[in-house]
Amino acid sequence: MEKQQSKDPLHGVTLQKILETLVAYYGFDTLGELIKIKCFNINPSIKSSLTFLRKTDWARKQVEELYIKTIQKM
């Protein structure tokens, strides 16, 4: 049997990995400009951002969309 790979670019990628990749690529300053949420602009950290994104679906969706666009550039 042949295993099929998922075509979903987020398959198997944790929210923490997504956020770490975006912060490494853009930094919190640029990330805060691209996605207007307080956890990126006021005293940003991976931990506080993860807490907020896990509770807020609309913000998580924006972060995931930016991640998909970013990995295509890399």
Side-chain angles (χ1 to χ4, degrees):
M1 275 190 161
E2 188 176 314
K3 291 184 181 179
Q4 291 185 356
Q5 289 185 331
S6 175
K7 294 185 180 187
D8 180 7
L10 299 174
H11 180 76
V13 182
T14 65
L15 182 58
Q16 182 171 351
K17 178 66 176 166
I18 290 171
L19 190 55
E20 288 172 348
T21 301
L22 291 175
V23 170
Y25 190 80
Y26 294 108
F28 274 115
D29 290 338
T30 304
L31 201 52
E33 292 174 13
L34 295 171
I35 303 173
K36 306 277 191 227
I37 52 179
K38 287 183 183 179
C39 66
F40 292 159
N41 292 310
I42 300 172
N43 198 17
S45 72
I46 297 288
K47 184 178 178 182
S48 67
S49 298
L50 284 172
T51 301
F52 177 77
L53 293 171
R54 287 182 177 131
K55 294 178 184 178
T56 316
D57 290 337
W58 63 265
R60 181 179 181 144
K61 184 168 178 62
Q62 288 183 13
V63 168
E64 289 172 345
E65 289 172 357
L66 180 61
Y67 175 76
I68 291 169
K69 292 176 187 174
T70 301
I71 59 171
Q72 292 171 352
K73 294 178 188 176
M74 298 173 110

